[in-house]
Amino acid sequence: MRRVVMIAVLLAVVSGCGAPDPGAATPAPVSSSASAEPSGIALPPRPREVRIDGIDPCSLLTAEQRAELGLDGRPVAYTSAHGLFGRAPSCSIRGSDPREVSVGLSVVADRGIEIFTAPGRVTDEVSSLTVAGFPAVLARPTLVRDFCSVDIDVAPGQLLDVQFAQGTRDQPIPQDQLCRDAQRIAEAVLSALLAR
C-alpha cells in the first residue's frame, strides 16, 4: 500500500502550532514494529468504547482549541479515499503562525487499529502510545518525512486518524517535531470527543 504518498497528497496546507505538550500522549512500554514479535505490536486495553459513527471530523476541535493550537484556517470537510482506510469522513485545517502546517483528521468507523498492529500492513515505522488513556499508534513515515500521524483505538473496528504535516517546503519542520505536534493534536481531539 502506498499509504505515505496517498496521505501526503490528501493533506491540505495548514499552519501553526505552538510547542507540544510533552505530557499529552505518552509512549506505552511496547517496542516499534521493527522489533516486535511476529504477531505485530501489542496495545494496552482501551478504558472504554467511544463510538464515532456519524461524527463530523471538523467538529473534533473547538474554535478555542484551534486558536490555542495555532490553527487559524477554516476547517474544510472532505472524504478521504485511500487503500488503508477506504473512504472516511475527513477534515483539514491550516495554520500559518508561527509556521505553515496542516492537520488532517479522519473518522474511520469501519476499520480498526489492527490496520497498524498487524505485521506487514504498513511501511511506516509504527510504535505504541497512549492518548488520554486510550491505546494508539504513532506512524512515522520513512519515505516521505514531511508528516506524522497518530491513530487512536476508540472502539472495536473504529479509529481516529490525526495527521500533522509541514505546510510548505520553504519552512521544513523536523519529523520529530511533526510527530510531537501530531500527539498534541490527538490529545486535544480525544479530549473534545470525551467531553461530549
Side-chain angles (χ1 to χ4, degrees):
M1 290 187 209
R2 300 207 179 258
R3 177 182 184 274
V4 171
V5 174
M6 289 184 272
I7 290 172
V9 169
L10 291 173
L11 285 175
V13 176
V14 173
S15 80
C17 235
D21 176 1
T26 55
V30 178
S31 62
S32 73
S33 59
S35 60
E37 324 69 40
S39 61
I41 65 171
L43 296 174
R46 76 180 77 79
R48 63 187 173 105
E49 290 183 19
V50 180
R51 303 295 299 179
I52 54 174
D53 304 274
I55 295 287
D56 173 6
C58 287
S59 72
L60 290 173
L61 288 175
T62 65
E64 294 79 17
Q65 285 175 310
R66 292 193 310 269
E68 182 181 314
L69 294 166
L71 301 173
D72 54 6
R74 178 180 59 85
V76 177
Y78 66 99
T79 300
S80 66
H82 55 76
L84 195 59
F85 298 146
R87 297 178 60 81
S90 301
C91 184
S92 64
I93 311 169
R94 298 177 185 183
S96 59
D97 185 29
R99 61 206 167 139
E100 296 282 335
V101 296
S102 67
V103 170
L105 307 173
S106 294
V107 174
V108 183
D110 63 352
R111 300 182 192 194
I113 201 75
E114 62 276 0
I115 293 170
F116 294 95
T117 59
R121 293 296 302 269
V122 296
T123 58
D124 298 353
E125 178 186 309
V126 178
S127 56
S128 175
L129 297 173
T130 57
V131 176
F134 280 75
V137 296
L138 176 72
R140 179 190 297 262
T142 55
L143 300 176
V144 179
R145 297 185 178 273
D146 61 356
F147 77 100
C148 194
S149 65
V150 173
D151 294 273
I152 308 165
D153 177 25
V154 292
Q158 297 192 337
L159 63 86
L160 290 174
D161 177 62
V162 177
Q163 298 176 17
F164 194 88
Q166 67 185 35
T168 175
R169 292 182 183 180
D170 297 336
Q171 297 176 334
I173 301 170
Q175 192 179 45
D176 286 345
Q177 182 66 51
L178 295 172
C179 291
R180 286 191 295 271
D181 288 339
Q183 293 173 39
R184 184 176 182 217
I185 299 290
E187 182 75 19
V189 165
L190 190 55
S191 297
L193 182 62
L194 294 173
R196 290 179 178 214

